[in-house]
């Protein structure tokens, strides 16, 4: 067989610069706020100043009379003309209490920032002025803000139609019946009774989350002929479309949702279905004019982007030589009001409990969770979906076990990592493939623990306190339908359409809506590598329900696992057709495997002189569909769906090195090293960026960010003066390494990563701090961790004087 020229660039694995960046950095991106429609009106919301109060009266007279105001709507408008937000498409298949609520508050407000009215005006300035003129007469009610207090008998009820504040409760171990769970609990208790070492601690994680650069925005227009079109900052346009149709009672074929090509971050926050979207769509339909709302940063920080907020009473049993035996956890999560479609605040803690065992082997477990309603904004998804609190608890507890056993924490971790996959955790989570030990060993080589311990000893002799800490994380690589259907009542498969045009260009359509992760670049590399063309010859369209196949959204690291796989599958189907026609034209009998797509040509491997340009053969099939093989027709377009045979995971490990000044508690992160298994890497530069962003978010959550409510339930951190974010000056250089194993369940061997990546960060950081201060027996069990906290602990330990 003659050699085939291999001068075509191998795009898979190449550090291709992002295709998106030219328009973004030159100001040519197009966001919701850049879209202007003729006759467009603007909306501003009136929000509650109280966390819990009856609405006695809403006077909109003065606001409605302000010149430029077109309409004012209150909650009664939506109760009378729209369905509630509690629609089947937005309800998980999990046994929880789903409060009845509408697009605007009716009769009662339940958190500070609850929307009670909306102003529609000719411009946003008039709308904002008019909002200040709305008079709401409230009768204040007692508030409940602590989730454990909310679960006590006789506690103030957040929702009057519920008997208590327990929204969700589940046992994740032992079996499906109470009898099985009780039997398992008794067996776990026996393990604890006989264990050499037991760690028992309460771990508390504060409310924090994510703050995308672009806030939420909605622009809706109504056409009597075409129906409703909504431009929305959403990660899940196809799910939104169904929700709009159901709540507004519009035929589904009359609803189109478009997530603009450019969206300034999502991070999970833009995955739920929000009340404001219904308000804007309803107003556009009623007024027969386009209506736009752009969320202010104040509104955003008050209402969304809040996750975590959890207490975990965790116990770990181990042998004296460091073998982990059993874990027992009682988690309590603060859900807020539970009034957000799709997730309802409790789905995140649910998954956090499922993923609590992490990458370690356990003989047994007893993991339980309760989720409570409180008078706070509802929890919304955030990167490290649900398991930021549980991962902090488990990673800290593992270090505590190591100290009790007088073992090196790194050695104890390696000893207890799952040695071989597939594996099913004690909570029933399936780990499909990978090599945890390979990832860990790669990290240890880069971290050079023996060299650090020598440096640490030298530094301590000189009065300096260095510490090293580790953490690791099993994360979902996309979310399979078998988990998505019960968790969110939606499918998990990936879908993509690939269309070739007569000039040899590839157009790719996906229903998931990215938020700046680089999908245009990575997908173009997959298509270019498959067809042997340039990434510049590809165009990617995402997030338009009118042009793309159904997709469940950009969530759970789906791009590298599900969307990428569907794209490759569609490309392969087109390759089959191209080579079938080409073989016919060349007069040879050959399969697709006997052709090479390289350097813009399609070459017959057995006789490389037999070839055609990619554009030439594509144009022939599309434009000149005569004398085709029997059964073939013209055109080159394929829609493919991908569902993995099993749920898939990825794995990562972190190493943090810190120095602590014991005189004041200040600390500095000197080094951060990671090891990642993302399967075959499409573009290392893109993955590096995801890792940088995720680790910085984890550090920012652990150290700087915190949503704070006063005793009356008013949110005190609704601006960047009071809600602090990490800056470039606060974070270290991050050394990223890869120890990948190809995923056997995806056609490219790729895994998705990025969504869950911040989860191990807080544990690694706090483990490093505790290692630095091990002479003083200091343990950190609560976040956020800040210098003043360390200083108080050092004072209590007698390490410093006032």
């Amino acid at each position: 067989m003659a050699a085939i020229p291999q001068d075509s660039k191998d795009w898979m694995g190449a550090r291709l610069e992002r295709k998106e960046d030219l328009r973004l950095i030159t100001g040519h991106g197009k966001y919701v706020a850049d879209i202007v429609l003729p006759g467009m009106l603007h909306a501003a919301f009136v929000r509650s100043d109280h966390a819990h109060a009856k609405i006695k009266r809403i006077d909109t007279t003065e606001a409605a009379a302000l010149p430029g105001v077109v309409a004012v709507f209150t909650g009664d408008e939506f109760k009378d003309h729209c369905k509630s937000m509690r629609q089947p498409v937005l309800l998980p298949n999990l046994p929880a209490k789903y409060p009845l609520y509408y697009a605007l508050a009716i009769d009662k407000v339940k958190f500070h920032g609850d929307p009670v009215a909306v102003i529609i005006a000719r411009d946003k300035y008039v709308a904002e002025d008019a909002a200040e003129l709305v008079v709401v007469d409230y009768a204040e009610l007692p508030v409940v803000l602590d989730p454990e207090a909310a679960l006590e008998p006789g506690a103030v009820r957040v929702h009057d139609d519920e008997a208590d504040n327990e929204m969700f409760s589940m046992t994740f171990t032992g079996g499906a019946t109470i009898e099985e769970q009780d039997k398992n609990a008794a067996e776990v208790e026996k393990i604890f009774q006989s264990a050499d070492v037991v760690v028992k601690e309460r771990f508390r994680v504060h409310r924090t989350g994510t703050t995308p650069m672009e806030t939420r925005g909605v622009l809706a227009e109504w056409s009597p002929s075409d129906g409703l079109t909504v431009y929305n900052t959403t990660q899940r346009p196809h799910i939104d479309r169904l929700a709009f149709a159901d709540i507004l009672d519009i035929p589904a074929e009359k609803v189109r949702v478009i997530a603009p090509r450019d969206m300034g971050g999502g991070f999970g926050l833009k995955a739920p279905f929000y009340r404001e979207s219904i308000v804007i769509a309803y107003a556009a339909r009623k007024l027969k004019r386009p209506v736009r709302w752009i969320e202010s940063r104040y509104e955003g920080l008050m209402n969304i982007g809040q996750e975590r907020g959890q207490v975990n009473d965790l116990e770990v049993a181990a042998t004296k030589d460091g073998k982990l035996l059993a874990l027992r956890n009682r988690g309590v999560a603060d859900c807020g009001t539970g009034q957000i479609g799709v997730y309802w605040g409790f789905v995140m803690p649910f998954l956090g409990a499922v993923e609590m065992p992490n990458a370690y082997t356990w003989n047994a477990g007893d993991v339980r969770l309760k989720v409570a309603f409180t008078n706070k904004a509802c929890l919304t998804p955030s990167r490290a979906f649900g398991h930021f609190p549980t991962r902090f608890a488990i990673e800290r507890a593992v270090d505590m076990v190591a100290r009790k056993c007088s073992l090196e924490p790194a050695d104890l971790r390696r000893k207890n990592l799952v040695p071989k996959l597939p594996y099913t955790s004690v909570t029933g989570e399936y780990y499909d493939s990978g090599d945890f030990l390979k990832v860990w060993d790669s990290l240890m080589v880069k971290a050079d623990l023996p060299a650090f311990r020598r440096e640490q000893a030298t530094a301590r002799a000189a009065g300096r306190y260095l510490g090293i800490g580790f953490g690791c994380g099993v994360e979902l690589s996309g979310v399979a339908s078998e988990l998505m259907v019960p968790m969110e009542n939606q499918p998990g498969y990936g879908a993509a359409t690939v269309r070739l045009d007569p000039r040899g260009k590839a157009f790719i359509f996906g229903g998931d809506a990215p938020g700046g992760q680089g999908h245009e670049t990575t997908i173009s590399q997959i298509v270019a590598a498959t067809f042997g063309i340039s990434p510049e010859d590809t165009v990617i369209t995402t997030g338009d329900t009118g042009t793309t196949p159904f997709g469940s959204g950009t969530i759970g690291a789906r791009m590298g696992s599900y969307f990428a796989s569907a794209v490759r599958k569609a490309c392969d189907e087109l390759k089959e057709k191209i080579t079938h026609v080409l073989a016919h034209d060349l007069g040879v009998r050959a399969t697709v495997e006997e052709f090479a797509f390289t350097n813009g040509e399609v070459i017959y491997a057995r006789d490389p002189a037999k070839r055609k340009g990619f554009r030439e053969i594509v144009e022939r099939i599309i434009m000149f569909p005569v004398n085709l093989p029997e059964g073939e027709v013209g055109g080159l377009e394929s829609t493919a769906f991908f569902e993995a045979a099993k749920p898939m995971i990825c794995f990562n490990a972190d190493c943090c090195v810190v120095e602590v000044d014991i005189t004041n508690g200040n600390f500095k992160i000197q080094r951060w090293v990671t090891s990642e298994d993302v399967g075959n890497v499409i573009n290392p530069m893109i993955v590096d960026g995801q890792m940088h962003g995720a680790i910085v978010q984890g550090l920012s959550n652990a150290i700087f960010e915190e949503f704070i409510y006063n005793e009356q339930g008013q949110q005190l951190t609704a601006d960047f003066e009071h809600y602090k974010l990490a800056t470039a000056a606060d974070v270290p250089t991050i050394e990223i390494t890869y120890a990948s194993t190809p995923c056997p369940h995806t056609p490219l061997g790729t895994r998705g990563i990025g969504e869950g990546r911040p989860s191990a960060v807080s544990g690694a950081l706090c483990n490093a701090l505790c290692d630095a201060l091990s002479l003083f027996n200091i343990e950190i069990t609560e976040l956020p961790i800040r210098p003043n906290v360390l200083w108080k602990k050092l004072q209590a330990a007698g390490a410093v004087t006032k």
Side-chain angles (χ1 to χ4, degrees):
M1 187 179 295
I4 296 173
Q6 294 297 321
D7 52 345
S8 181
K9 184 173 177 62
D10 185 2
W11 295 111
M12 284 295 293
R15 287 183 172 269
L16 180 67
E17 293 184 357
R18 286 171 35 118
K19 293 179 66 175
E20 301 92 328
D21 285 351
L22 178 61
R23 69 174 184 269
L24 297 179
I25 64 177
T26 57
H28 291 92
K30 193 169 186 180
Y31 301 85
V32 166
D34 296 316
I35 302 172
V36 177
L37 299 177
M40 185 172 71
L41 302 172
H42 298 262
F45 285 89
V46 179
R47 298 184 182 274
S48 168
D49 294 323
H50 303 283
H52 199 198
K54 289 183 178 180
I55 301 173
K56 298 171 64 178
R57 179 179 64 98
I58 302 177
D59 186 349
T60 63
T61 306
E62 192 174 354
L66 188 69
V69 171
V70 176
V72 182
F73 300 126
T74 62
D76 288 338
E77 179 85 16
F78 292 89
K79 186 176 182 180
D80 294 341
H81 299 99
C82 298
K83 295 178 182 177
S84 77
M85 302 293 287
R86 192 170 64 186
Q87 297 302 309
V89 71
L90 302 177
L91 293 177
N93 283 325
L94 289 169
K97 295 173 183 174
Y98 298 98
L100 181 70
Y101 71 106
Y102 290 82
L104 293 176
I106 301 169
D107 300 330
K108 178 175 154 177
V109 294
K110 300 174 182 178
F111 71 98
H112 180 210
D114 210 347
V116 297
V118 65
I119 308 292
I120 312 296
R122 68 188 181 197
D123 63 51
K124 63 180 181 180
Y125 304 104
V126 171
E128 292 288 350
D129 288 345
E132 295 183 1
L133 299 177
V134 174
V135 178
V136 185
D137 188 7
Y138 294 103
E140 286 192 66
L141 297 169
V143 299
V144 59
L145 304 172
D146 179 84
E148 292 180 295
L151 295 173
E152 292 292 329
V156 172
R157 282 184 296 159
V158 176
H159 300 290
D160 294 337
D161 54 347
E162 300 292 351
D164 54 43
N165 291 318
E166 184 177 287
M167 183 184 195
F168 176 79
S169 178
M170 182 173 281
T171 298
F172 295 81
T173 46
T177 67
I178 294 176
E179 292 76 17
E180 290 172 321
Q181 293 165 5
D182 288 346
K183 180 181 177 182
N184 176 71
E187 292 171 353
V188 169
E189 174 61 23
K190 288 180 182 179
I191 294 174
F192 274 92
Q193 290 293 336
S194 61
D196 300 328
V197 175
V198 173
V199 166
K200 182 177 181 180
E201 288 287 350
R202 164 165 279 214
F203 296 93
R204 189 181 295 273
V205 175
H206 58 308
R207 270 198 171 211
T208 182
T210 189
T211 50
M213 187 175 293
E214 180 193 19
T215 58
R216 292 179 297 159
V218 186
L219 168 57
E221 64 174 336
W222 174 263
S223 163
S225 57
D226 297 329
L228 178 69
T229 299
V230 183
Y231 301 87
N232 197 8
T233 53
T234 177
Q235 296 169 228
R236 317 185 76 176
H238 284 273
I239 300 301
D240 285 11
R241 171 178 167 268
L242 299 176
F244 280 119
D246 290 353
I247 296 172
L248 296 173
D249 202 17
I250 300 171
E253 70 274 15
K254 293 289 187 179
V255 181
R256 181 181 182 185
V257 176
I258 302 170
R261 177 175 64 171
D262 298 318
M263 185 161 64
F267 309 111
L269 179 151
K270 294 172 182 172
F273 188 77
Y274 291 106
R275 304 161 80 172
E276 292 90 348
S277 300
I278 284 294
V279 172
I280 302 307
Y282 174 83
R285 182 177 66 170
K286 179 157 187 174
L287 300 174
K288 305 295 190 292
R289 291 177 65 179
V291 179
R292 188 176 75 186
W293 169 69
I294 303 299
E295 180 184 53
S296 70
R297 185 63 68 182
Y298 181 79
E299 287 179 294
L301 288 171
M302 180 185 294
N303 290 281
I304 58 169
Q306 303 186 29
E307 219 222 82
R308 328 310 187 200
Q310 196 171 134
V311 175
N312 286 286
D313 289 308
L314 174 63
E315 300 171 74
V316 171
T319 64
K320 60 186 176 183
D321 60 352
K323 174 66 180 77
L324 299 176
L325 298 175
L327 77 160
R328 181 162 55 195
N329 190 65
R330 300 294 182 264
V332 176
D334 177 356
C335 182
T337 64
Q339 294 174 306
I340 284 184
V342 179
Y343 298 96
W344 298 82
F346 79 92
V347 176
M348 289 76 74
F350 162 83
L351 187 61
V354 171
E355 298 208 309
M356 188 167 206
N358 204 3
Y360 307 113
T361 56
W362 305 91
N363 294 348
D366 181 5
V367 177
R368 306 183 187 216
L369 171 70
K370 289 186 177 182
V371 181
F373 291 124
T374 64
N375 290 117
K376 295 180 184 175
C378 183
L379 290 189
T380 45
S382 179
R383 224 171 182 180
F385 185 103
H387 49 270
F388 191 92
T390 54
R391 197 62 49 85
F392 168 69
I394 205 73
E395 289 301 308
R396 283 269 46 242
V398 167
D399 256 41
M400 292 177 182
V401 170
R403 280 198 241 292
K404 282 199 170 189
C405 295
S406 300
L407 294 173
E408 173 64 65
D411 294 341
L412 184 141
R413 276 185 170 76
R414 192 187 192 284
K415 180 175 186 174
N416 288 282
L417 288 175
V418 175
K420 186 178 180 180
L421 278 68
Y423 174 83
T424 300
S425 77
V426 293
T427 56
E429 184 177 12
Y430 181 79
Y431 302 166
D432 70 298
S433 63
D435 189 336
F436 295 173
L437 296 178
K438 175 183 175 182
V439 173
W440 184 260
D441 291 343
S442 174
L443 178 72
M444 297 307 295
V445 168
K446 186 73 173 178
D448 196 354
L449 181 59
F452 171 80
R453 290 300 184 201
R454 292 192 294 271
E455 180 187 4
Q456 183 184 46
T458 301
R460 280 185 178 173
R464 294 172 55 221
Y465 293 85
L466 305 182
I468 192 167
F470 300 95
C472 61
V474 174
E475 318 294 352
L476 294 177
S477 174
V479 188
S481 289
E482 68 177 63
L483 179 57
M484 277 282 284
V485 170
M487 191 168 72
E488 298 182 19
N489 202 17
Q490 293 152 17
Y493 56 74
T497 297
V498 178
R499 177 191 304 154
L500 299 178
D501 86 337
R503 299 297 180 261
K505 309 300 180 181
F507 293 81
I508 302 94
F509 301 86
D512 299 346
Q517 300 98 318
H519 289 191
E520 290 180 42
T521 304
T522 48
I523 293 300
S524 73
Q525 288 179 254
I526 294 169
V527 175
T530 307
F531 290 134
I533 60 178
S534 168
E536 295 303 316
D537 292 330
T538 65
V539 177
I540 289 85
T541 298
T542 56
D544 182 344
T545 65
T547 61
T548 63
F550 183 91
S552 287
T554 302
I555 57 170
R558 280 166 49 86
M559 199 294 293
S561 52
Y562 282 81
F563 183 39
S565 296
V567 169
R568 178 56 187 256
K569 188 176 176 182
C571 288
D572 285 345
E573 291 174 0
L574 293 179
K575 284 179 69 175
E576 287 272 3
K577 183 171 183 177
I578 290 169
T579 55
H580 188 204
V581 174
L582 182 54
H584 170 79
D585 290 354
L586 294 175
V588 300
R589 294 175 63 86
T591 64
V592 64
E593 291 81 11
E594 295 176 88
F595 287 89
F597 286 68
T598 180
N599 200 32
E601 293 186 297
V602 186
I603 305 171
Y604 180 46
R606 295 183 179 276
D607 183 359
K610 296 181 184 293
R611 63 175 69 195
K612 271 193 178 181
F614 180 77
R615 170 178 168 174
E616 184 183 2
I617 184 61
V618 167
E619 186 175 32
R620 178 262 192 275
I621 295 171
I622 298 172
M623 299 297 294
F624 313 113
V626 294
N627 299 320
L628 293 172
E630 185 177 352
E632 287 286 8
V633 296
L636 285 169
E637 180 173 327
S638 175
T639 296
F641 296 87
F642 173 81
E643 183 83 82
K646 293 287 185 179
M648 299 180 291
I649 55 101
C650 56
F651 181 64
N652 53 73
D654 286 309
C655 170
C656 173
V657 175
V658 299
E659 180 170 2
V660 182
D661 184 341
I662 68 167
T663 65
N664 54 27
N666 284 326
F667 59 88
K668 182 177 181 180
I669 302 172
Q670 293 188 336
R671 193 180 181 203
W672 198 282
V673 185
T674 82
S675 183
E676 314 286 341
D677 182 1
V678 299
N680 290 333
V681 180
I682 301 169
N683 185 326
M685 185 182 71
I686 297 286
V687 181
D688 285 357
Q690 286 292 300
M691 298 306 98
H692 286 142
I695 291 164
V696 168
Q697 183 190 338
L699 292 172
S700 189
N701 283 179
I703 304 170
F704 297 97
E705 301 177 44
E706 183 177 14
F707 287 106
I708 298 173
Y709 291 79
N710 68 11
E711 292 179 355
Q712 289 75 43
Q714 291 181 312
Q715 224 270 74
L716 304 179
T717 45
D719 57 58
F720 284 146
E721 181 180 359
H722 298 95
Y723 188 81
K724 303 295 186 182
L725 297 171
T727 68
D730 299 313
V731 296
T733 299
I734 299 169
E735 305 168 52
I736 299 170
T737 64
Y738 294 96
S740 293
T741 55
C743 179
H745 305 301
T746 59
L748 293 164
T750 53
R751 304 177 192 272
I753 198 169
E755 188 280 328
R757 189 57 184 83
S759 62
V761 170
S762 60
L765 169 65
C766 292
N767 287 338
L769 292 170
C770 292
D771 182 65
L773 303 175
S774 59
L775 292 178
F776 310 110
N777 296 315
I778 286 175
E779 299 288 6
I780 299 167
T781 58
E782 187 169 342
L783 294 177
I785 182 62
R786 293 173 182 150
N788 65 311
V789 174
L790 282 185
W791 184 70
K792 290 177 181 178
K793 287 180 176 291
L794 286 162
Q795 279 190 312
V800 291
T801 57
K802 294 182 180 179

